[in-house]
Amino acid sequence: MLGEDDIKYLRMACEILKDQVDEILDLWYSWVGSNPHLIYYFSDPQGKPIKEYLERVRRRFGQWILDTTCREYDQTWLDYMYEIGLRHHRTKKNVTDMVTSVPHIPLMYLIAFIYPITSTIKHFLAKKGHRQEDVEKMYNAWFKSVVLQVAIWSYPYAKEGDW
């Protein structure tokens, strides 16, 4: 359902969001940080948040915003989206950052994150004075892309034959 028009509006969103990445991440991290059940996934076995891990994930999350809006949706992108899924799943959780944190993020959190990651972006898309119609099209393209990405991230969670 992500078509050429959506890609056009994602590119427009890229120009709008690229200088707002830190603001977006501040909002998202504030929300995650205010929910102990979420910060748990960035914590050591004693439940203490791992600052360096949070910082590295934040940089990747910022790059993800740019990859969602600016990057070509080609095989390299698709491979990286699959890698992101692996990094949340017990298959590779903690490997990239070489940390000792919880070993797995349940799929329900990946799916549930669609809402806050989407609902909060419209405010940032509207900040540069674009027509409301264009803001809505960028917002819908973002939503479609996020759902597509979560579907790809979910692949490691599916058991052989369940897809």
Side-chain angles (χ1 to χ4, degrees), residues 35-97:
N35 287 279
H37 68 285
L38 297 177
I39 201 71
Y40 164 79
Y41 293 99
F42 300 95
S43 300
D44 64 21
Q46 291 72 43
K48 182 180 175 197
I50 305 169
K51 183 180 179 196
E52 300 81 18
Y53 182 32
L54 282 161
E55 289 170 359
R56 286 191 298 264
V57 170
R58 181 184 170 105
R59 283 192 299 277
R60 282 196 301 275
F61 213 179
Q63 185 60 51
W64 174 81
I65 293 168
L66 299 175
D67 288 347
T68 296
T69 57
C70 306
R71 199 165 162 187
E72 292 298 317
Y73 282 45
D74 56 10
Q75 187 62 48
T76 301
W77 175 88
L78 185 62
D79 293 344
Y80 191 61
M81 290 305 107
Y82 179 70
E83 175 69 20
I84 290 172
L86 291 172
R87 290 178 184 184
H88 289 81
H89 186 264
R90 68 182 49 84
T91 308
K92 288 186 85 172
K93 174 80 168 70
N94 302 325
V95 173
T96 299
D97 293 299

Side-chain angles (χ1 to χ4, degrees), residues 7-145:
I7 299 299
K8 175 181 118 181
Y9 283 101
L10 285 169
R11 298 302 173 261
M12 186 184 290
C14 173
E15 293 304 312
I16 294 168
L17 298 178
K18 67 184 177 184
D19 64 349
Q20 298 183 76
V21 169
D22 282 330
E23 282 180 74
I24 296 166
L25 292 173
D26 288 346
L27 177 67
W28 291 349
Y29 263 56
S30 171
W31 183 76
V32 168
S34 69
N35 287 279
H37 68 285
L38 297 177
I39 201 71
Y40 164 79
Y41 293 99
F42 300 95
S43 300
D44 64 21
Q46 291 72 43
K48 182 180 175 197
I50 305 169
K51 183 180 179 196
E52 300 81 18
Y53 182 32
L54 282 161
E55 289 170 359
R56 286 191 298 264
V57 170
R58 181 184 170 105
R59 283 192 299 277
R60 282 196 301 275
F61 213 179
Q63 185 60 51
W64 174 81
I65 293 168
L66 299 175
D67 288 347
T68 296
T69 57
C70 306
R71 199 165 162 187
E72 292 298 317
Y73 282 45
D74 56 10
Q75 187 62 48
T76 301
W77 175 88
L78 185 62
D79 293 344
Y80 191 61
M81 290 305 107
Y82 179 70
E83 175 69 20
I84 290 172
L86 291 172
R87 290 178 184 184
H88 289 81
H89 186 264
R90 68 182 49 84
T91 308
K92 288 186 85 172
K93 174 80 168 70
N94 302 325
V95 173
T96 299
D97 293 299
M98 296 180 285
V99 296
T100 302
S101 183
V102 298
H104 183 75
I105 298 176
L107 178 59
M108 68 180 182
Y109 289 118
L110 298 181
I111 295 168
F113 255 72
I114 292 171
Y115 179 74
I117 296 304
T118 300
S119 68
T120 56
I121 206 71
K122 189 184 277 189
H123 164 76
F124 295 99
L125 293 170
K127 276 189 163 184
K128 304 276 175 111
H130 286 73
R131 296 178 315 144
Q132 184 60 33
E133 177 183 333
D134 288 335
V135 170
E136 287 299 323
K137 288 180 179 180
M138 288 184 284
Y139 177 74
N140 284 323
W142 172 273
F143 177 60
K144 289 177 185 181
S145 178

Side-chain angles (χ1 to χ4, degrees), residues 147-159:
V147 169
L148 172 62
Q149 290 177 71
V150 171
I152 296 166
W153 300 345
S154 301
Y155 190 77
Y157 293 82
K159 293 181 181 164

